Amino acid sequence: MKKRFYRLYKGIAILAALILTAGNACGIGLLRTAAAERGEQETSSPDASSAGASSAGAVSPDASSSGASTAGTLSADEAYAAAKDAALSGLQSRMDQEREAVYVYKDFGLTRNHFTQKAKMTGVDESLVLDMDENWQDNPREGSSCIRCEQITREGDWGGWLFLNGYLPRGESVPLLNDGSMDGQGLDLSGADALRFYARGEHGGETVEFFTAGFGYDAKYNFTTVEYPDSARKQSAGEITLTKEWKEYVIPLEDVDLSSIVCGFGYVLNDEMDGNADNVFYLDEIRFTGDIRSAKTAPVLLRSYDTENVYIKNVAFTYDNALAAMAFLSEGRLEEAKEILDAFVYAIENDRALLLAGENAAENSVEAPEVTPEGDSAAGGGSSAMRVRNAYAAGDIQPPPGWESGARLPGWYDPETREWYEDRYQVGSNVGNTSYAALALLQYYRAAGEKKYLETAGALMDWVIETCSDGGRGFTGGFDGWEEGDPPTVYPFTYKSIEHNIDAFSAFSALYEYTGEDKYREAAQSARGFIEDMYDGERGLFMTGTLEDGVTPNSGVVVLDAQVWCAMALGGDFAPYEDALKVVESMKTPEGGYPFCRENKNGGWWAEGTAYTALMYRGLGEEEKYREAMEALESIQLDSGLFPAATNDHLSTGMDLFDGSPWEYSTDPHIAPAAWFIMAVNGFNPYAF
């Protein structure tokens, strides 16, 4: 279970180099972060003694150990092949959606939107061109919102809006409008065959000219007016008279040089087209289509949820994407796994904190050190340690051209304050998410033998050793917040989580097996010792971890993953703790699913946990229990191939957020259950090497 917290914490305003999705009157909005308190404290109890770690301890549940099928029945993998294929298609479609088009506008506040900086064009009277409302929710063409445009036309006057890329200097938090004085600020849309968009009028009869490209050219005579104009002159749809119904319009772009486009979209109205009128019209689904080469090769991470929850709708959680990569690996689809893992490598090597550390080093006349897998510290402030964030922006994680902001991080736009906010948990780094990214990299290294993935996994787990060691057994939680802030705003965690340490144990064990380095053996022993310390022999279960002191056991809530993941990670060494499986069995609901915690006060069950419990039972040869869990999952699989996160909108975790409200799962579709389901069918244990 990886934690997803997204409550707004007021009063923190620091660096946020992210895309703005709503303009104001001058075309630029403020860009600011806000911290969101991570409400969970999954804790565990350390001990000063050391326990041995075995890299062979996690036994992979292959076909021979998955339970023999009875005569006349399908095997464990055959029985769920169709559902598995649907889940694979669901994950693949996530990737394809990011590559099939480059959106100017998809829906309000999405990080998929490009050309987000708005510039007003006016003739004599600026007040005739009103602000656009990019979050208009009445009758959108698709999704939950569209753009409402209003402009008054008067004799002898004109106006409109440009949708520009903008740019962001390193270390700044407010994007600037392009002025054509610097190269490298245009998107490469080579291969696009058209710009497509939907439009409708409020009453019908509104006439508008829509266009793309043409930045830096005189509108009438087409000579260049800036040093670095668009690579193409204005490509216009002509004067279009709108109807009251949504209609798609197309601007053909074949054989147009689209190698550097600053102006992705624009519109203009004037008195000759509309006379004296108050014109209102709507836009939606503005996108470039075709074989766009930059989209095909972009580092992409998969959106975690299908949701209208503003705090997580833009988020690609690291844990979820690591699972997706391993699901593809379990199917032998190395290329798809590699795409996700290459995005992780890009994100790690282009982290915002690393960029700013280098900037600080340069400003202090100290040569910025080369970043190695060991994570050297940069002089002049900040940290050059290579780490993975808990989450990234869904989709293409490259910053737009001219945005010197590093790999894109998730966030949301507040239309009232006109500010962009980041969540302190999402931009932080914890041991569990870090270890899962490392596990995925190591599983790919095992399959493909490409050394850079081993080295990147080593760099991540070095961060765990350097950042999350307290002298006792096991590793602390990591931190939330912005170490790259000026000043840094960081919330370190001193508790220890059994889940984090299970993940770290397996990653360290594999690293020791592949590198022979003693630091990984010692780290694996420390994590394993902590896992063993968390076993309550009297109750026959694993506790979640410690309180904030890193020592006192948290003996309250009993959670599913502490039991199941220990069995999966320890493999043959799990025998002394088999009573924990009785706890798992006791948690099963009448529908055959499993909840997050034993109390489960709101009822329902958890798809992700049910899927990994099925995988555990398959590895143990418990065929009937495996099938019962899988059939429960099949019964709730969606047409998309994904699964709802939970079977009700208030699935209890037994834990509270910082403000005292309960942390719950909803029925929003989620990619993690699909990934676990695929691995369960394929008998692939992510902890086993």
Side-chain angles (χ1 to χ4, degrees):
M1 67 183 174
K2 289 295 176 284
K3 317 307 173 282
R4 303 166 181 91
F5 297 93
Y6 34 83
R7 296 301 179 91
L8 182 63
Y9 180 80
K10 297 180 180 178
I12 303 297
I14 47 186
L15 177 71
L18 293 173
I19 289 183
L20 201 60
T21 52
N24 57 20
C26 64
I28 302 177
L30 293 177
L31 201 61
R32 194 175 295 175
T33 65
E37 178 69 57
R38 183 186 182 204
E40 174 262 310
Q41 299 205 358
E42 194 185 20
T43 52
S44 308
S45 164
D47 181 288
S49 61
S50 173
S54 169
S55 62
V59 179
S60 177
D62 56 22
S64 63
S65 65
S66 63
S69 60
T70 58
T73 64
L74 295 173
S75 66
D77 51 356
E78 292 172 334
Y80 308 107
K84 179 192 75 173
D85 289 345
L88 283 162
S89 294
L91 296 181
Q92 183 63 57
S93 69
R94 277 287 205 273
M95 185 73 71
D96 295 342
Q97 288 168 9
E98 303 298 339
R99 302 202 184 282
E100 66 188 8
V102 172
Y103 276 86
V104 176
Y105 180 91
K106 171 82 176 157
D107 218 342
F108 176 73
L110 292 186
T111 51
R112 293 187 71 182
N113 297 340
H114 297 75
F115 302 102
T116 55
Q117 304 308 302
K118 310 305 188 298
K120 180 188 290 189
M121 301 181 292
T122 64
V124 177
D125 187 351
E126 180 179 336
S127 68
L128 300 181
V129 184
L130 282 71
D131 290 356
M132 294 178 288
D133 184 342
E134 297 187 55
N135 192 27
W136 189 259
Q137 299 182 12
D138 183 15
N139 189 26
R141 172 61 178 75
E142 289 188 25
S144 62
S145 64
C146 61
I147 304 174
R148 182 184 185 273
C149 310
E150 183 173 3
Q151 187 164 324
I152 302 168
T153 50
R154 292 288 183 265
E155 183 176 352
D157 217 340
W158 67 279
W161 283 93
L162 296 175
F163 293 53
L164 302 180
N165 179 49
Y167 70 99
L168 187 72
R170 185 171 300 181
E172 298 296 323
S173 59
V174 179
L176 304 175
L177 288 176
N178 309 98
D179 62 8
S181 64
M182 289 183 287
D183 196 9
Q185 296 180 354
L187 274 71
D188 183 359
L189 298 171
S190 299
D193 59 16
L195 175 74
R196 303 171 188 273
F197 61 96
Y198 287 89
R200 67 177 178 90
E202 177 79 10
H203 304 292
E206 300 86 352
T207 301
V208 188
E209 181 188 6
F210 300 102
F211 58 89
T212 184
F215 172 78
Y217 292 90
D218 179 82
K220 185 174 182 179
Y221 298 106
N222 264 337
F223 60 81
T224 59
T225 59
V226 299
E227 186 175 0
Y228 296 102
D230 278 350
S231 56
R233 289 174 168 79
K234 183 172 77 172
Q235 306 295 305
S236 176
E239 297 179 3
I240 294 174
T241 300
L242 302 174
T243 68
K244 292 182 65 175
E245 304 302 322
W246 285 109
K247 182 179 178 181
E248 185 176 36
Y249 300 93
V250 179
I251 301 176
L253 296 174
E254 293 180 353
D255 301 322
V256 176
D257 181 1
L258 301 173
S259 58
S260 180
I261 303 298
V262 167
C263 176
F265 185 72
Y267 66 81
V268 65
L269 296 85
N270 61 41
D271 63 315
E272 293 181 4
M273 289 189 285
D274 295 284
N276 293 327
D278 186 350
N279 305 278
V280 177
F281 59 97
Y282 303 88
L283 299 167
D284 206 353
E285 295 293 306
I286 310 168
R287 75 262 186 222
F288 292 90
T289 60
D291 190 20
I292 304 172
R293 291 193 288 275
S294 60
K296 301 297 184 187
T297 59
V300 166
L301 290 174
L302 309 185
R303 187 176 71 257
S304 287
Y305 288 90
D306 290 334
T307 181
E308 291 305 313
N309 184 329
V310 66
Y311 303 113
I312 58 172
K313 69 188 302 183
N314 280 323
V315 180
F317 285 102
T318 291
Y319 164 75
D320 294 340
N321 276 267
L323 286 176
M326 289 189 282
F328 284 126
L329 280 174
S330 76
E331 188 68 11
R333 293 170 59 169
L334 270 63
E335 283 302 313
E336 289 87 345
K338 187 176 187 296
E339 285 190 62
I340 296 172
L341 297 176
D342 283 344
F344 277 141
V345 172
Y346 175 89
I348 293 162
E349 292 179 347
N350 292 274
D351 189 82
R352 194 164 69 192
L354 281 178
L355 294 179
L356 290 174
E359 182 84 2
N360 291 335
E363 289 177 358
N364 286 275
S365 300
V366 177
E367 182 179 355
E370 179 182 357
V371 178
T372 67
E374 289 73 35
D376 297 333
S377 295
S383 168
S384 65
M386 295 178 70
R387 66 182 177 102
V388 69
R389 306 274 182 155
N390 292 329
Y392 294 93
D396 182 359
I397 61 171
Q398 293 177 120
W403 291 59
E404 300 180 82
S405 49
R408 296 173 64 197
L409 300 178
W412 67 94
Y413 187 78
D414 186 330
E416 293 186 3
T417 63
R418 298 195 175 193
E419 294 176 352
W420 184 271
Y421 291 97
E422 289 182 351
D423 175 280
R424 62 180 261 185
Y425 166 72
Q426 292 170 11
V427 303
S429 297
N430 74 25
V431 171
N433 292 320
T434 298
S435 299
Y436 252 87
L439 287 170
L441 291 160
L442 289 164
Q443 290 286 7
Y444 185 83
Y445 172 72
R446 182 179 70 143
E450 295 185 42
K451 191 174 181 181
K452 76 171 181 179
Y453 301 100
L454 172 63
E455 292 173 342
T456 304
L460 295 183
M461 298 312 291
D462 287 345
W463 175 87
V464 172
I465 294 172
E466 295 162 9
T467 308
C468 304
S469 299
D470 67 353
R473 297 213 287 190
F475 297 92
T476 56
F479 66 83
D480 287 355
W482 300 264
E483 67 171 354
E484 66 271 25
D486 185 16
T489 304
V490 176
Y491 305 85
F493 294 112
T494 53
Y495 68 83
K496 293 179 181 177
S497 157
I498 190 173
E499 176 240 308
H500 290 185
N501 280 273
I502 294 166
D503 308 338
F505 161 68
S506 292
F508 282 131
S509 296
L511 279 167
Y512 176 59
E513 179 178 342
Y514 293 140
T515 69
E517 294 190 46
D518 283 342
K519 64 179 177 180
Y520 298 131
R521 175 182 55 81
E522 293 167 1
Q525 288 175 340
S526 178
R528 174 161 175 173
F530 178 78
I531 295 168
E532 294 172 344
D533 292 341
M534 288 300 96
Y535 187 69
D536 184 336
E538 292 185 4
R539 294 194 292 166
L541 56 83
F542 286 96
M543 295 177 285
T544 60
T546 73
L547 303 179
E548 288 293 340
D549 61 9
V551 176
T552 306
N554 180 356
S555 58
V557 61
V558 176
V559 294
L560 183 69
D561 68 347
Q563 326 308 319
V564 174
W565 287 6
C566 280
M568 293 171 66
L570 294 177
D573 294 337
F574 184 71
Y577 314 107
E578 286 182 347
D579 281 352
L581 298 181
K582 297 178 183 177
V583 174
V584 175
E585 180 64 20
S586 72
M587 293 172 70
K588 184 174 65 177
T589 69
E591 298 83 8
Y594 293 82
F596 188 101
C597 64
R598 186 164 63 178
E599 182 185 20
N600 197 29
K601 63 181 179 181
N602 296 332
W605 51 276
W606 187 34
E608 178 185 331
T610 299
Y612 64 61
T613 301
L615 174 57
M616 178 200 71
Y617 279 133
R618 180 173 182 181
L620 294 172
E622 296 276 4
E623 179 78 6
E624 184 177 347
K625 294 176 182 177
Y626 162 76
R627 288 180 179 272
E628 188 173 15
M630 295 295 280
E631 286 165 8
L633 287 162
E634 268 195 322
S635 72
I636 64 168
Q637 189 173 27
L638 305 170
D639 290 342
S640 66
L642 303 182
F643 299 84
T647 59
N648 67 45
D649 273 323
H650 300 283
L651 185 84
S652 172
T653 67
M655 305 177 190
D656 291 335
L657 299 174
F658 77 100
D659 61 358
S661 62
W663 171 35
E664 300 172 339
Y665 276 87
S666 74
T667 57
D668 288 334
H670 184 200
I671 67 172
W676 278 113
F677 185 90
I678 293 162
M679 289 189 285
V681 177
N682 290 334
F684 183 95
N685 182 349
Y687 293 111
F689 289 86

